[in-house]
Amino acid sequence: MSPLQLANFSINFVFQPMFGKTGELLAVECLSRITANHQGTAISPEFFFQNVTPAMSIDILKAQIALIESYRDWFIRHNVIVTVNIDDKSLDFVNAHYLSEGHSFAGFIHFEVNESSDSLVPEPNHTPVFHKQRTFWLDDFGSGLSGFSAFFDNQFRYIKIDRFLFWNFMSKPGGSQLMGALLNFFSLNNCNVVVEGIETDQHEKWLSEMPYYALQGKLWKELTIEELCCAAR
């Protein structure tokens, strides 16, 4: 796969796997790896997307989705969800071009919305934007100010626990009970939880008896789309 070329940057798309309790691949997250063309240095995706124009953000999103849809048959055959991050700049575009009535869109593509997104703040007398929509995931739960209000307002069916929250629980006395209680709460509310930040075997072992949907982190290698399809035939 050739990188997406922009004026001063090259962007490669990689896929970070999410594994269930028995080791099955349940989902992958499509991530952008950005390089400055002149210096050849890597650029933080967080910094890049905070400063990118809305038009460029949408162009990158369209490129991600075009790549994913070109492998539609593989994702459907293996029953693997693929998630893409969206921000407030691209939300309206997603709703208008992919999720509105009359548009046929691949159901295996879901969208992650960060907990700090302004779109999670409901307008008075309006139904929240993401209310009961399985296509949207709440990303980085515990990192922002929305927290449980975002969950209750929108009734997300998928939530990703922020890695720093997970590490914080793991480092504290009684953290195992707190983490277990949090995951049990989401499980009782029919919510699938992905725990981010799994970087060691100890991280995975610490969570082994808790009711999570999947684990994600640097313990597992990021893959190109070609490597992903070869690894899980």
Side-chain angles (χ1 to χ4, degrees):
M1 178 190 68
S2 300
L4 175 65
Q5 298 291 340
L6 301 175
N8 299 308
F9 307 97
S10 297
I11 301 180
N12 285 291
F13 299 128
V14 297
F15 294 80
Q16 195 170 77
M18 305 176 215
F19 291 105
K21 276 190 170 290
T22 59
E24 71 275 29
L25 179 66
L26 298 177
V28 292
E29 179 180 359
C30 183
L31 298 167
S32 299
R33 296 294 175 246
I34 303 145
T35 305
N37 288 338
H38 298 303
Q39 296 90 354
T41 55
I43 297 173
S44 160
E46 291 79 9
F47 174 82
F48 179 84
F49 283 104
Q50 283 172 0
N51 293 279
V52 77
T53 65
M56 190 175 292
S57 179
I58 290 170
D59 284 344
I60 294 168
L61 175 66
K62 288 163 64 177
Q64 286 179 301
I65 291 176
L67 171 66
I68 293 163
E69 287 203 304
S70 69
Y71 287 83
R72 169 193 290 262
D73 291 345
W74 185 91
F75 285 105
I76 292 174
R77 184 168 67 252
H78 290 84
N79 196 28
V80 172
I81 295 170
V82 55
T83 69
V84 179
N85 290 279
I86 61 171
D87 54 21
D88 293 328
K89 301 171 187 175
S90 52
L91 174 60
D92 288 342
F93 178 84
V94 166
N95 277 322
H97 291 81
Y98 296 121
L99 302 179
S100 62
E101 286 189 29
H103 286 77
S104 175
F105 187 65
F108 62 87
I109 302 178
H110 291 194
F111 299 97
E112 297 190 24
V113 182
N114 191 277
E115 191 188 75
S116 62
S117 171
D118 292 338
S119 59
L120 290 173
V121 181
E123 296 183 21
N125 303 318
H126 284 75
T127 300
V129 174
F130 309 108
H131 187 66
K132 293 185 178 180
Q133 293 201 51
R134 292 186 66 87
T135 305
F136 290 103
W137 296 27
L138 179 61
D139 188 24
D140 291 337
F141 178 88
S143 66
L145 300 176
S146 301
F148 284 102
S149 64
F151 171 70
F152 284 119
D153 288 341
N154 294 277
Q155 298 184 33
F156 285 99
R157 296 277 67 90
Y158 292 88
I159 285 183
K160 300 180 80 172
I161 301 292
D162 181 69
R163 66 186 187 277
F164 293 108
L165 179 64
F166 161 53
W167 295 339
N168 186 38
F169 277 150
M170 192 171 176
S171 68
K172 288 185 173 181
S176 177
Q177 289 79 9
L178 291 172
M179 188 71 175
L182 180 63
L183 294 180
N184 273 305
F185 166 80
F186 285 128
S187 177
L188 290 171
N189 282 275
N190 301 310
C191 186
N192 297 306
V193 177
V194 177
V195 182
E196 299 180 289
I198 311 304
E199 298 189 354
T200 67
D201 292 335
Q202 186 61 29
H203 286 163
E204 187 177 18
K205 183 179 179 181
W206 192 78
L207 291 159
S208 62
E209 301 301 318
M210 300 185 194
Y212 62 79
Y213 168 70
L215 302 179
Q216 178 182 358
K218 292 181 180 178
L219 181 61
W220 301 283
K221 179 187 173 185
E222 294 178 346
L223 304 169
T224 66
I225 189 73
E226 294 86 358
E227 289 171 334
L228 174 66
C229 293
C230 288
R233 285 179 173 171

